[in-house]
Amino acid sequence: MEPRPDRIVYLDNAATTRVRPEVLEAMLPYFTEHYGNPSSLYGIGRDAKKAVETARERIAKAIGSEPIEVFFTGSGTEADNWALKGVAQAYEKKGRHLVTSAIEHHAVLHSCEALQKRGWVVTYLPVDADGLVDPAEVEKALRPDTVLCSIMFANNEIGTIQPIEEIGRICRARGVLFHTDAVQAAGAVAIDMKTLPVDLCSFSAHKIGGPKGVGALYVRRGVRLPSLLDGGAQERKRRAGTENVPGIVGFGRAFELAAAEQAESAARLAAIRDAAIARVLGGIPHVRLNGHPTKRLPGNANFSFRFIEGESLLLLLDMHGFACSSGSACTSGSLDPSHVLLAIGLPHEIAHGSLRVSFGKENSLDDVEPLFQALVQVVARLREMSPLYDEYLKTEGKK
């Protein structure tokens, strides 16, 4: 195998981000100096407790909620599990039906499957070719026994941003709780719970320059949600377990920074994204852009290259110094094509040739041309070895 170059251009910010220096600086004292347990009554315990509440206030301010509506979790996945399974437990006397989409993160889809094994009925809504959920289809799917609707804010693979406000209004009018997974949307789009008709919302720190291993669930006042974990009385008796104080401190600081920079960051990343999309679509044949052309996350570009297998594409790009992805980091070990790409109508052979490029804080327009040049070489090399491409050329040559 060829050696990788010394400099790696990281283009997988949808999978995770580097911890920001300001975040690390805020966290460090809580590993050493302020190491107390937040449940303790003595001084260093009170210091830790105060730090947790300050972080909660920062996140609440960033999303336009009250601090009492923010609960810390161990990840965005835990937040999704808690939202779906907790609501199911608390409201099952009303009914045992919930609505979601076919392109949700597996934290939601697998939670739905677990509930189905317990007798729940789940309606999986289709999406169009751009990955959009039709609010009219949501309304048609709601039933008198529907307890919850869970539609992600923005898709982690193809970047499509859903019509969350419209879907939320429909659910509210029908008395159905609405949950959205905003793990990818946080920091990328404006989120204001004072105006959004959302009842529960999931977040994760490591997608916005914070540490791994900490997330949050927004729970609107009045929504009943039993504890997912049994044990102590942490998080107002809603989430047992000693708090990850350094992680929570880092999450609060990261969210504060991301919210303050959101508009400027989104404009900058969208410019890089659009330049990359234009260069790839204009310079490489047999490529399609996946996801909505305009209603998409500012840093996301997802392509499908015909006659190419995605894993080989990633490995060769890595040798050229580019760290990208073929889809969700949570399913990178799977040989199956992306459920998201299949849901938007791509055949298996094209879905297998996908590439997700997700730009972040450390990327610039200067990364676009080197990426394009690497793709030109890699795609040409892989297509030379592809029997499918060879057959295509022979077929086209006869026309």
Side-chain angles (χ1 to χ4, degrees):
M1 182 177 289
E2 300 174 20
R4 291 191 302 173
D6 293 334
R7 179 177 179 265
I8 299 297
V9 179
Y10 185 73
L11 299 173
D12 200 16
N13 289 276
T16 196
T17 58
R18 189 198 301 269
V19 173
R20 295 182 57 159
E22 308 97 315
V23 171
L24 180 60
E25 182 182 6
M27 292 172 64
L28 286 176
Y30 295 91
F31 287 106
T32 54
E33 183 181 353
H34 304 296
Y35 58 87
N37 188 315
S39 298
S40 302
L41 296 179
Y42 41 74
I44 59 172
R46 295 196 302 272
D47 291 343
K49 180 68 172 178
K50 182 178 179 181
V52 168
E53 296 311 314
T54 297
R56 196 188 314 276
E57 291 167 4
R58 285 176 168 174
I59 293 174
K61 182 179 180 181
I63 64 172
S65 77
E66 299 177 37
I68 201 171
E69 296 173 310
V70 176
F71 295 86
F72 291 112
T73 66
S75 62
T77 290
E78 183 188 317
D80 285 342
N81 272 257
W82 190 13
L84 271 68
K85 295 172 182 176
V87 166
Q89 179 182 336
Y91 292 87
E92 63 182 346
K93 288 184 179 179
K94 175 189 173 182
R96 296 169 70 85
H97 176 244
L98 61 90
V99 175
T100 190
S101 83
I103 64 167
E104 297 298 309
H105 190 277
H106 281 107
V108 168
L109 293 178
H110 290 172
S111 292
C112 288
E113 291 170 10
L115 289 171
Q116 285 179 289
K117 292 176 182 177
R118 289 162 43 185
W120 281 71
V121 177
V122 180
T123 297
Y124 296 93
L125 297 174
V127 294
D128 67 14
D130 292 326
L132 279 172
V133 174
D134 184 351
E137 291 298 315
V138 174
E139 187 157 28
K140 285 196 290 186
L142 299 182
R143 312 183 329 196
D145 62 339
T146 305
V147 169
L148 178 70
C149 177
S150 180
I151 304 293
M152 67 196 331
F153 207 121
N155 187 263
N156 50 302
E157 293 190 36
I158 60 175
T160 298
I161 298 173
Q162 300 296 341
I164 292 303
E165 188 169 358
E166 188 175 355
I167 294 171
R169 285 200 304 267
I170 290 168
C171 291
R172 185 152 295 177
R174 297 284 293 274
V176 173
L177 293 176
F178 181 44
H179 165 255
T180 186
D181 179 333
V183 166
Q184 292 291 332
V189 299
I191 298 175
D192 187 356
M193 294 304 176
K194 291 191 293 292
T195 58
L196 282 176
V198 170
D199 299 296
L200 303 106
C201 189
S202 304
F203 300 100
S204 181
H206 75 103
K207 307 292 188 179
I208 56 171
K212 298 171 181 65
V214 59
L217 181 65
Y218 161 80
V219 184
R220 188 176 294 279
R221 272 180 177 268
V223 174
R224 301 197 308 274
L225 196 70
S227 176
L228 183 67
L229 302 174
D230 296 318
Q234 291 88 355
E235 292 301 285
R236 300 185 299 283
K237 301 182 179 180
R238 305 283 279 279
R239 200 267 185 182
T242 301
E243 298 90 341
N244 173 7
V245 178
I248 289 171
V249 168
F251 192 8
R253 182 69 175 126
F255 220 136
E256 181 180 54
L257 291 168
E261 299 167 359
Q262 184 271 319
E264 180 182 352
S265 174
R268 187 183 69 84
L269 292 177
I272 302 171
R273 174 203 68 193
D274 291 345
I277 290 172
R279 198 72 177 99
V280 172
L281 296 185
I284 301 176
H286 312 303
V287 182
R288 63 159 279 156
L289 176 70
N290 299 315
H292 197 280
T294 58
K295 298 175 183 177
R296 68 185 306 126
L297 291 171
N300 175 287
N302 187 298
F303 305 100
S304 285
F305 296 82
R306 289 184 65 191
F307 318 112
I308 284 178
E309 197 277 317
E311 186 174 353
S312 299
L313 180 62
L314 294 182
L315 291 173
L316 289 181
L317 282 174
D318 185 34
M319 292 179 188
H320 281 74
F322 294 93
C324 304
S325 169
S326 60
S328 169
C330 300
T331 58
S332 59
S334 173
L335 296 178
D336 295 328
S338 158
H339 70 286
V340 175
L341 298 182
L342 295 180
I344 64 174
L346 297 191
H348 278 62
E349 62 271 17
I350 295 180
H352 266 303
S354 66
L355 174 73
R356 182 184 68 183
V357 178
S358 46
F359 300 99
K361 184 174 178 60
E362 298 178 12
N363 298 119
S364 71
L365 282 167
D366 291 339
D367 294 324
V368 172
E369 186 60 24
L371 171 66
F372 171 72
Q373 294 299 335
L375 277 170
V376 169
Q377 296 179 51
V378 169
V379 169
R381 178 177 174 183
L382 291 174
R383 283 180 176 163
E384 285 176 1
M385 299 184 291
S386 170
L388 292 175
Y389 189 54
D390 186 56
E391 182 64 29
Y392 169 80
L393 291 177
K394 290 177 182 178
T395 303
E396 286 298 298
K398 294 177 182 178
K399 292 181 179 179

